[in-house]
Amino acid sequence: MAGATLQAFDLYAATCPVLRRAERYAIFDMLLGRPAALRPGERWLLEGVSLRVAPGERVGILATSGAEALALGQLLAGVRLPARGRVEASGPVRLFCAPGKGFKSLLSADENLDLALALHGVSPKELAARRAEALALAGLEGRGRSQLHDLGREAARRLGLAALLAAPGELLVLCDLRLPKGDSWRAAFARRLDAASAVVVTTRPDELFFSAQRHFLLHCGRLFPSPDSEAACARWGELLAEACGPGGDAPLAFDEDEDEDEDEDRGEESSTAGGRAGSAGALVGHPRVDGRPTHHREASLLCGDGQRLQVELDYRPRRPARLRELCLRLNPDGVRTPVALARLEGSALLPGGNEEARLLRPDEPVCLAFEFVVPPLARGRFEVCADLFFHDGTRQTLELFALGPRNAAPPGGCLRLVARALSPSSAEAEESA
Amino acid sequence: MIPSPPLREIVHAGWRLFVRELRLRYRRAFFGVLWSVLPLVVAAAAYLSVAPRPESSGERGAVPTVLDVLVGLVLVQAFVDGLNYPQQLARRLRTLLAHSSFPRESLLVAGAGFVGFNLLVRAAVTAAALGLGAEPLAATAPLALGGALLLGGLGLCVGAFLAAPALLLWDVRFGLPYVTGLLYLVTPVFYRPGEEGLLAWANALNPLTHVLEASRALVWGAPISWLPLLSVLCLSFFLALLTPRALRRALCCALPYA
């Protein structure tokens, strides 16, 4: 039988919401080793997670929080050290997380694929064949020499997924895959999983389409077995709808994207790798562009210079938090400097609010409205991001939507993007309707 | 325990990392990789044209000759490169490190690639300068490259220990140039090793001194002090044994907050 064995015994992972303290703890851990108990300011991100993946077995884990999903993936692959417990595997564990992340837009598709495949264990002899295979899977045959910048961000994600499908490995841990729509991808993905032992940790119920032998629900750091994927999805929906008590973590559909920039010269980025929670919340649900529901990560607006754009978004914090400032910025491509679009702070953030009223609660989403003029854009796509600064010093970045190339304004002038807090099931129902 | 991938896989991943970073560095430069050679050639040419001639060929005077300094610079710079590249690579690849389980040792391989590449360029320029110079070289001169490789390896080991802390503490990044400056002060690149006083102590305790002196001796055909050189070799070997495991562990601690 294909695949290898992976076993996790009573895993505990801790996180510290205050970054400064967390960094200090991490330095101590490097020098002295991590204590098994929680330290002041820490909380458990995962508690007592035990799992066994037999050869050829596929396990699906539906998580209610992106941070927990990533932490579990990292623990199983040995990228992160557990506070307690241990992981044992009969072969190297390949972690695939957020495909396309780490790809460089300045390099060609071939160059990016070469690295991705080499990092996932493809030998030099096989590299050319696997590269061609991956390019074909991504639908980019004959465009291997094109710069990724010209192919677009979606192509980078497809290439990342294609690299996963083309790479070897008998023991896979997959997180946050975000498969493109289409049966061909799902079929290829299912075929790949059939040839290995795999753990798929996801925050999206639609990614549990493959035939997993066992299903689990990961909620509030604990792993709950579930009889099948339908039961797991149903329970996941219930948990998502429930509001958490004060101080607890609200179950969220989607966590924020991390800052993807790796350029060492940009000092302002603050990427998190699944450990920091802080006051961070999320933009829950699906936005609408011109009344049409769409996933907020895929919403793309074609805008011309000087066009006026209105944005409304519902923000729901993960736990009670005081929002200090909210900035909207245009993020070109990680090389050029971001352009500030709009900024709200103080009473402008929550009109008429006193100090007490500025406390945002998980059960009271706040509607934030922006209006700005689209600045002159160079070629390429631009991400519009919202930076939320909290009173406790933490920051969260939300990717809202993408702006298309210049002079491609659609008829009708003013666009309106509204992000409402819909439950995923109702949004999907609307989409299908 | 999760078993590590085989060595050839680590080397291949490291080589690809090196190639990608090198291409990325010069992707927006019209002259490309030529920029890594050009400044060195210009500096060496200027240095050689204005420097005084050696006092007596073959003999080591109180003040090192220009070519002596050039050899010293190549050797110490190999160590400095080794010190810098692991933490630079870790910083640049932190997203990839957090989202993928590729072998962490490949960072060391990629770092070694950069050290080797820079060393090759500098060695070629220095060899040309030595060939043009009037000073006679010993037959053992090419073996001095071994000293540079040893220093590069030692630098990589020390640099690997700094890679994970550099992700969390930017003091490491900002402090390294000052440490490098201090290193040039306590290493006899521009002067002969002191025989008494504080500087003599610093020179004696500095492992770079012994490799540097041995390598220069190989170039000019002078006798080598074997005992300190062997001590440095043992130290490097010991560090090289510890480094991969320490790097893996430290990155595991740092990455969740990097």
Tab-separated table of all heavy atoms in Angstrom, chain A residues 69-75 77-80 95-98 101-102 119-120 173 175 258-259 262 271-275, chain B residues 89-102 104 107 167 251-252 254-258:
chain	number	residue	atom	x	y	z
A	69	ALA	N	-5.372	25.646	12.191
A	69	ALA	CA	-5.123	24.738	11.063
A	69	ALA	C	-3.649	24.780	10.664
A	69	ALA	O	-3.014	23.741	10.490
A	69	ALA	CB	-6.005	25.142	9.881
A	70	LEU	N	-3.125	25.991	10.549
A	70	LEU	CA	-1.717	26.124	10.159
A	70	LEU	C	-0.798	25.551	11.235
A	70	LEU	O	0.173	24.854	10.933
A	70	LEU	CB	-1.391	27.596	9.894
A	70	LEU	CG	0.034	27.880	9.447
A	70	LEU	CD1	0.327	27.219	8.111
A	70	LEU	CD2	0.294	29.373	9.345
A	71	ALA	N	-1.128	25.842	12.503
A	71	ALA	CA	-0.287	25.336	13.600
A	71	ALA	C	-0.272	23.813	13.595
A	71	ALA	O	0.791	23.200	13.784
A	71	ALA	CB	-0.797	25.867	14.938
A	72	LEU	N	-1.430	23.198	13.365
A	72	LEU	CA	-1.480	21.731	13.353
A	72	LEU	C	-0.654	21.186	12.183
A	72	LEU	O	0.123	20.238	12.350
A	72	LEU	CB	-2.941	21.251	13.248
A	72	LEU	CG	-3.126	19.735	13.198
A	72	LEU	CD1	-2.511	19.069	14.415
A	72	LEU	CD2	-4.596	19.358	13.094
A	73	GLY	N	-0.799	21.811	11.018
A	73	GLY	CA	-0.005	21.395	9.855
A	73	GLY	C	1.477	21.513	10.133
A	73	GLY	O	2.259	20.606	9.825
A	74	GLN	N	1.874	22.623	10.738
A	74	GLN	CA	3.297	22.842	11.030
A	74	GLN	C	3.813	21.834	12.053
A	74	GLN	O	4.936	21.351	11.946
A	74	GLN	CB	3.511	24.269	11.546
A	74	GLN	CG	3.355	25.327	10.460
A	74	GLN	CD	3.473	26.727	11.004
A	74	GLN	OE1	3.084	26.995	12.140
A	74	GLN	NE2	3.991	27.631	10.204
A	75	LEU	N	2.991	21.515	13.047
A	75	LEU	CA	3.417	20.540	14.067
A	75	LEU	C	3.594	19.166	13.441
A	75	LEU	O	4.580	18.475	13.709
A	75	LEU	CB	2.370	20.454	15.173
A	75	LEU	CG	2.370	21.552	16.230
A	75	LEU	CD1	1.203	21.346	17.179
A	75	LEU	CD2	3.656	21.552	17.024
A	77	ALA	N	4.292	18.431	10.444
A	77	ALA	CA	5.408	18.383	9.497
A	77	ALA	C	6.750	18.704	10.160
A	77	ALA	O	7.775	18.717	9.496
A	77	ALA	CB	5.147	19.365	8.365
A	78	GLY	N	6.733	18.996	11.453
A	78	GLY	CA	7.981	19.285	12.160
A	78	GLY	C	8.518	20.673	11.917
A	78	GLY	O	9.679	20.958	12.210
A	79	VAL	N	7.672	21.565	11.401
A	79	VAL	CA	8.108	22.947	11.170
A	79	VAL	C	8.031	23.742	12.473
A	79	VAL	O	8.723	24.730	12.662
A	79	VAL	CB	7.218	23.598	10.075
A	79	VAL	CG1	7.456	25.069	9.939
A	79	VAL	CG2	7.467	22.906	8.744
A	80	ARG	N	7.173	23.288	13.374
A	80	ARG	CA	6.977	23.958	14.648
A	80	ARG	C	7.157	22.924	15.759
A	80	ARG	O	6.803	21.759	15.578
A	80	ARG	CB	5.556	24.524	14.653
A	80	ARG	CG	5.177	25.329	15.835
A	80	ARG	CD	3.682	25.674	15.727
A	80	ARG	NE	3.305	26.484	16.856
A	80	ARG	CZ	2.710	27.660	16.755
A	80	ARG	NH1	2.412	28.153	15.598
A	80	ARG	NH2	2.399	28.344	17.825
A	95	LEU	N	5.043	19.299	3.811
A	95	LEU	CA	3.985	20.253	4.151
A	95	LEU	C	3.732	21.162	2.950
A	95	LEU	O	4.664	21.786	2.428
A	95	LEU	CB	4.411	21.095	5.364
A	95	LEU	CG	3.492	22.255	5.744
A	95	LEU	CD1	2.167	21.765	6.289
A	95	LEU	CD2	4.155	23.159	6.764
A	96	PHE	N	2.506	21.208	2.494
A	96	PHE	CA	2.113	22.121	1.411
A	96	PHE	C	1.089	23.076	1.986
A	96	PHE	O	0.026	22.650	2.424
A	96	PHE	CB	1.486	21.358	0.243
A	96	PHE	CG	2.455	20.526	-0.512
A	96	PHE	CD1	2.698	19.222	-0.144
A	96	PHE	CD2	3.117	21.040	-1.615
A	96	PHE	CE1	3.590	18.435	-0.843
A	96	PHE	CE2	4.009	20.260	-2.321
A	96	PHE	CZ	4.245	18.961	-1.941
A	97	CYS	N	1.417	24.314	1.969
A	97	CYS	CA	0.562	25.283	2.614
A	97	CYS	C	0.458	26.519	1.746
A	97	CYS	O	1.478	27.015	1.280
A	97	CYS	CB	1.235	25.625	3.933
A	97	CYS	SG	0.116	25.964	5.198
A	98	ALA	N	-0.729	27.027	1.541
A	98	ALA	CA	-0.931	28.233	0.748
A	98	ALA	C	-0.093	28.184	-0.532
A	98	ALA	O	0.897	28.905	-0.662
A	98	ALA	CB	-0.566	29.466	1.561
A	101	LYS	N	2.739	30.679	-2.437
A	101	LYS	CA	3.384	31.605	-1.513
A	101	LYS	C	4.896	31.408	-1.608
A	101	LYS	O	5.377	30.292	-1.628
A	101	LYS	CB	2.917	31.344	-0.092
A	101	LYS	CG	2.683	32.622	0.650
A	101	LYS	CD	1.763	32.464	1.792
A	101	LYS	CE	1.035	33.775	1.935
A	101	LYS	NZ	0.157	33.828	3.046
A	102	GLY	N	5.624	32.470	-1.669
A	102	GLY	CA	7.075	32.368	-1.817
A	102	GLY	C	7.512	32.457	-3.265
A	102	GLY	O	8.702	32.568	-3.542
A	119	LEU	N	12.475	21.901	-3.761
A	119	LEU	CA	12.236	21.936	-2.317
A	119	LEU	C	11.343	20.779	-1.879
A	119	LEU	O	11.386	20.368	-0.730
A	119	LEU	CB	11.580	23.252	-1.908
A	119	LEU	CG	12.447	24.513	-2.026
A	119	LEU	CD1	11.703	25.722	-1.506
A	119	LEU	CD2	13.761	24.360	-1.276
A	120	HIS	N	10.527	20.273	-2.802
A	120	HIS	CA	9.654	19.156	-2.448
A	120	HIS	C	10.234	17.819	-2.876
A	120	HIS	O	9.504	16.839	-3.005
A	120	HIS	CB	8.266	19.371	-3.038
A	120	HIS	CG	7.544	20.498	-2.371
A	120	HIS	ND1	7.400	20.577	-1.012
A	120	HIS	CD2	6.957	21.613	-2.848
A	120	HIS	CE1	6.748	21.676	-0.693
A	120	HIS	NE2	6.476	22.334	-1.787
A	173	VAL	N	1.107	16.638	4.257
A	173	VAL	CA	0.253	17.440	5.141
A	173	VAL	C	-0.128	18.673	4.341
A	173	VAL	O	0.747	19.450	3.933
A	173	VAL	CB	0.983	17.819	6.444
A	173	VAL	CG1	0.118	18.745	7.274
A	173	VAL	CG2	1.334	16.579	7.241
A	175	CYS	N	-2.403	22.169	3.875
A	175	CYS	CA	-3.145	23.201	4.608
A	175	CYS	C	-3.565	24.297	3.643
A	175	CYS	O	-2.761	24.715	2.809
A	175	CYS	CB	-2.254	23.864	5.653
A	175	CYS	SG	-2.041	22.949	7.121
A	258	GLU	N	-1.570	36.325	5.088
A	258	GLU	CA	-0.356	36.896	5.643
A	258	GLU	C	0.312	37.809	4.647
A	258	GLU	O	0.107	37.684	3.449
A	258	GLU	CB	0.603	35.769	6.000
A	258	GLU	CG	0.130	35.043	7.215
A	258	GLU	CD	0.828	33.744	7.364
A	258	GLU	OE1	1.935	33.625	6.806
A	258	GLU	OE2	0.286	32.868	8.016
A	259	ASP	N	1.113	38.677	5.211
A	259	ASP	CA	1.874	39.553	4.335
A	259	ASP	C	2.842	38.697	3.531
A	259	ASP	O	3.642	37.955	4.073
A	259	ASP	CB	2.652	40.539	5.204
A	259	ASP	CG	3.170	41.670	4.379
A	259	ASP	OD1	3.286	41.534	3.146
A	259	ASP	OD2	3.442	42.698	4.961
A	262	GLU	N	8.555	39.264	1.011
A	262	GLU	CA	9.750	38.724	1.654
A	262	GLU	C	10.932	39.655	1.474
A	262	GLU	O	12.057	39.330	1.839
A	262	GLU	CB	10.115	37.372	1.043
A	262	GLU	CG	9.121	36.302	1.368
A	262	GLU	CD	9.456	35.013	0.672
A	262	GLU	OE1	10.554	34.900	0.127
A	262	GLU	OE2	8.615	34.132	0.664
A	271	SER	N	4.389	39.691	9.181
A	271	SER	CA	3.729	38.453	8.807
A	271	SER	C	3.619	37.560	10.029
A	271	SER	O	4.462	37.587	10.906
A	271	SER	CB	4.504	37.756	7.699
A	271	SER	OG	5.763	37.404	8.164
A	272	THR	N	2.553	36.788	10.095
A	272	THR	CA	2.397	35.862	11.196
A	272	THR	C	2.336	34.473	10.609
A	272	THR	O	1.822	34.282	9.536
A	272	THR	CB	1.088	36.121	11.939
A	272	THR	OG1	0.025	35.946	11.025
A	272	THR	CG2	1.054	37.495	12.540
A	273	ALA	N	2.878	33.538	11.325
A	273	ALA	CA	2.879	32.172	10.807
A	273	ALA	C	2.006	31.294	11.679
A	273	ALA	O	2.337	30.195	12.003
A	273	ALA	CB	4.297	31.647	10.735
A	274	GLY	N	0.891	31.795	12.055
A	274	GLY	CA	-0.087	30.956	12.711
A	274	GLY	C	-0.028	30.971	14.219
A	274	GLY	O	-0.805	30.289	14.874
A	275	GLY	N	0.828	31.735	14.797
A	275	GLY	CA	0.913	31.731	16.242
A	275	GLY	C	0.217	32.896	16.885
A	275	GLY	O	-0.237	32.812	18.013
B	89	LEU	N	19.416	34.813	4.140
B	89	LEU	CA	18.537	33.866	3.442
B	89	LEU	C	17.321	33.522	4.294
B	89	LEU	O	16.198	33.453	3.794
B	89	LEU	CB	19.310	32.590	3.096
B	89	LEU	CG	20.306	32.724	1.949
B	89	LEU	CD1	21.229	31.519	1.898
B	89	LEU	CD2	19.561	32.832	0.618
B	90	ALA	N	17.554	33.307	5.584
B	90	ALA	CA	16.428	32.973	6.464
B	90	ALA	C	15.410	34.109	6.480
B	90	ALA	O	14.201	33.874	6.468
B	90	ALA	CB	16.930	32.692	7.872
B	91	ARG	N	15.891	35.327	6.486
B	91	ARG	CA	14.986	36.491	6.505
B	91	ARG	C	14.206	36.580	5.202
B	91	ARG	O	13.013	36.806	5.189
B	91	ARG	CB	15.808	37.759	6.712
B	91	ARG	CG	15.363	38.523	7.924
B	91	ARG	CD	16.164	39.738	8.217
B	91	ARG	NE	16.876	40.342	7.146
B	91	ARG	CZ	18.176	40.579	7.144
B	91	ARG	NH1	18.889	40.198	8.171
B	91	ARG	NH2	18.750	41.196	6.160
B	92	ARG	N	14.886	36.360	4.110
B	92	ARG	CA	14.230	36.477	2.807
B	92	ARG	C	13.246	35.325	2.551
B	92	ARG	O	12.271	35.497	1.844
B	92	ARG	CB	15.269	36.512	1.688
B	92	ARG	CG	16.064	37.814	1.636
B	92	ARG	CD	17.050	37.791	0.507
B	92	ARG	NE	16.413	37.594	-0.770
B	92	ARG	CZ	15.784	38.538	-1.454
B	92	ARG	NH1	15.689	39.732	-0.957
B	92	ARG	NH2	15.237	38.273	-2.619
B	93	LEU	N	13.533	34.185	3.147
B	93	LEU	CA	12.718	32.992	2.852
B	93	LEU	C	11.785	32.626	4.001
B	93	LEU	O	11.327	31.502	4.086
B	93	LEU	CB	13.631	31.807	2.547
B	93	LEU	CG	14.566	31.969	1.358
B	93	LEU	CD1	15.589	30.856	1.332
B	93	LEU	CD2	13.777	31.953	0.060
B	94	ARG	N	11.531	33.574	4.893
B	94	ARG	CA	10.789	33.200	6.094
B	94	ARG	C	9.368	32.718	5.771
B	94	ARG	O	8.863	31.810	6.427
B	94	ARG	CB	10.767	34.342	7.107
B	94	ARG	CG	10.081	35.599	6.654
B	94	ARG	CD	10.192	36.673	7.722
B	94	ARG	NE	9.483	37.858	7.330
B	94	ARG	CZ	9.976	38.809	6.550
B	94	ARG	NH1	11.212	38.690	6.091
B	94	ARG	NH2	9.273	39.854	6.232
B	95	THR	N	8.728	33.293	4.767
B	95	THR	CA	7.378	32.838	4.404
B	95	THR	C	7.432	31.403	3.906
B	95	THR	O	6.605	30.574	4.278
B	95	THR	CB	6.804	33.744	3.305
B	95	THR	OG1	6.933	35.094	3.738
B	95	THR	CG2	5.350	33.450	3.044
B	96	LEU	N	8.394	31.139	3.063
B	96	LEU	CA	8.562	29.790	2.514
B	96	LEU	C	8.879	28.793	3.635
B	96	LEU	O	8.374	27.675	3.644
B	96	LEU	CB	9.704	29.825	1.503
B	96	LEU	CG	9.665	28.855	0.339
B	96	LEU	CD1	8.391	29.013	-0.451
B	96	LEU	CD2	10.858	29.070	-0.569
B	97	LEU	N	9.711	29.230	4.579
B	97	LEU	CA	10.092	28.353	5.689
B	97	LEU	C	8.880	28.003	6.549
B	97	LEU	O	8.760	26.888	7.043
B	97	LEU	CB	11.147	29.037	6.564
B	97	LEU	CG	12.565	29.093	5.999
B	97	LEU	CD1	13.400	30.103	6.754
B	97	LEU	CD2	13.219	27.722	6.090
B	98	ALA	N	7.968	28.965	6.726
B	98	ALA	CA	6.808	28.729	7.579
B	98	ALA	C	5.746	27.891	6.883
B	98	ALA	O	4.953	27.241	7.542
B	98	ALA	CB	6.207	30.057	8.015
B	99	HIS	N	5.725	27.920	5.549
B	99	HIS	CA	4.655	27.250	4.829
B	99	HIS	C	5.100	25.986	4.115
B	99	HIS	O	4.326	25.405	3.360
B	99	HIS	CB	4.034	28.209	3.798
B	99	HIS	CG	3.239	29.284	4.448
B	99	HIS	ND1	3.796	30.451	4.892
B	99	HIS	CD2	1.932	29.365	4.752
B	99	HIS	CE1	2.862	31.201	5.431
B	99	HIS	NE2	1.734	30.569	5.363
B	100	SER	N	6.320	25.595	4.304
B	100	SER	CA	6.816	24.416	3.628
B	100	SER	C	7.800	23.700	4.542
B	100	SER	O	8.464	24.338	5.362
B	100	SER	CB	7.497	24.860	2.330
B	100	SER	OG	8.088	23.769	1.719
B	101	SER	N	7.876	22.378	4.380
B	101	SER	CA	8.751	21.624	5.292
B	101	SER	C	10.043	21.219	4.599
B	101	SER	O	10.576	20.164	4.899
B	101	SER	CB	8.013	20.382	5.782
B	101	SER	OG	7.624	19.608	4.670
B	102	PHE	N	10.529	22.032	3.676
B	102	PHE	CA	11.758	21.645	2.979
B	102	PHE	C	12.923	21.590	3.971
B	102	PHE	O	12.879	22.246	5.008
B	102	PHE	CB	12.041	22.596	1.810
B	102	PHE	CG	12.454	23.980	2.189
B	102	PHE	CD1	13.783	24.289	2.428
B	102	PHE	CD2	11.520	24.986	2.305
B	102	PHE	CE1	14.169	25.562	2.765
B	102	PHE	CE2	11.889	26.270	2.639
B	102	PHE	CZ	13.219	26.562	2.880
B	104	ARG	N	15.816	22.270	6.221
B	104	ARG	CA	16.404	23.551	6.652
B	104	ARG	C	17.897	23.631	6.340
B	104	ARG	O	18.459	24.716	6.216
B	104	ARG	CB	16.203	23.742	8.148
B	104	ARG	CG	14.867	24.280	8.629
B	104	ARG	CD	13.691	23.847	7.847
B	104	ARG	NE	12.457	24.480	8.283
B	104	ARG	CZ	11.408	24.671	7.518
B	104	ARG	NH1	11.421	24.273	6.270
B	104	ARG	NH2	10.329	25.237	7.971
B	107	LEU	N	19.380	25.770	3.530
B	107	LEU	CA	19.790	27.172	3.723
B	107	LEU	C	21.318	27.254	3.808
B	107	LEU	O	21.934	28.190	3.285
B	107	LEU	CB	19.208	27.734	5.025
B	107	LEU	CG	17.747	28.148	5.056
B	107	LEU	CD1	17.415	28.762	6.407
B	107	LEU	CD2	17.436	29.154	3.973
B	167	LEU	N	15.614	36.514	12.797
B	167	LEU	CA	14.221	36.652	12.369
B	167	LEU	C	13.398	37.424	13.395
B	167	LEU	O	12.399	38.045	13.066
B	167	LEU	CB	13.593	35.267	12.186
B	167	LEU	CG	14.097	34.429	11.018
B	167	LEU	CD1	13.482	33.044	11.075
B	167	LEU	CD2	13.747	35.091	9.703
B	251	LEU	N	14.936	27.431	14.188
B	251	LEU	CA	13.920	27.914	13.238
B	251	LEU	C	12.522	27.485	13.671
B	251	LEU	O	11.556	28.224	13.494
B	251	LEU	CB	14.224	27.410	11.827
B	251	LEU	CG	15.354	28.141	11.103
B	251	LEU	CD1	15.660	27.477	9.771
B	251	LEU	CD2	15.010	29.605	10.857
B	252	CYS	N	12.414	26.277	14.240
B	252	CYS	CA	11.119	25.818	14.751
B	252	CYS	C	10.599	26.770	15.829
B	252	CYS	O	9.403	27.027	15.914
B	252	CYS	CB	11.250	24.422	15.355
B	252	CYS	SG	11.284	23.129	14.133
B	254	ALA	N	11.483	30.012	16.192
B	254	ALA	CA	11.342	31.405	15.733
B	254	ALA	C	10.217	31.590	14.724
B	254	ALA	O	9.561	32.626	14.726
B	254	ALA	CB	12.662	31.872	15.119
B	255	LEU	N	9.977	30.578	13.887
B	255	LEU	CA	9.071	30.784	12.741
B	255	LEU	C	7.635	31.175	13.106
B	255	LEU	O	7.041	31.993	12.402
B	255	LEU	CB	9.068	29.547	11.843
B	255	LEU	CG	10.267	29.478	10.908
B	255	LEU	CD1	10.301	28.159	10.172
B	255	LEU	CD2	10.248	30.620	9.902
B	256	PRO	N	7.043	30.624	14.176
B	256	PRO	CA	5.679	31.056	14.476
B	256	PRO	C	5.543	32.558	14.712
B	256	PRO	O	4.452	33.097	14.567
B	256	PRO	CB	5.345	30.272	15.752
B	256	PRO	CG	6.192	29.075	15.705
B	256	PRO	CD	7.459	29.519	15.056
B	257	TYR	N	6.622	33.224	15.056
B	257	TYR	CA	6.527	34.660	15.353
B	257	TYR	C	7.357	35.505	14.398
B	257	TYR	O	7.523	36.699	14.613
B	257	TYR	CB	6.963	34.920	16.799
B	257	TYR	CG	6.144	34.116	17.775
B	257	TYR	CD1	6.657	32.979	18.375
B	257	TYR	CD2	4.838	34.475	18.048
B	257	TYR	CE1	5.886	32.218	19.243
B	257	TYR	CE2	4.059	33.727	18.910
B	257	TYR	CZ	4.594	32.604	19.503
B	257	TYR	OH	3.825	31.857	20.348
B	258	ALA	N	7.933	34.883	13.365
B	258	ALA	CA	8.828	35.623	12.467
B	258	ALA	C	8.019	36.488	11.512
B	258	ALA	O	6.927	36.135	11.156
B	258	ALA	CB	9.695	34.653	11.707
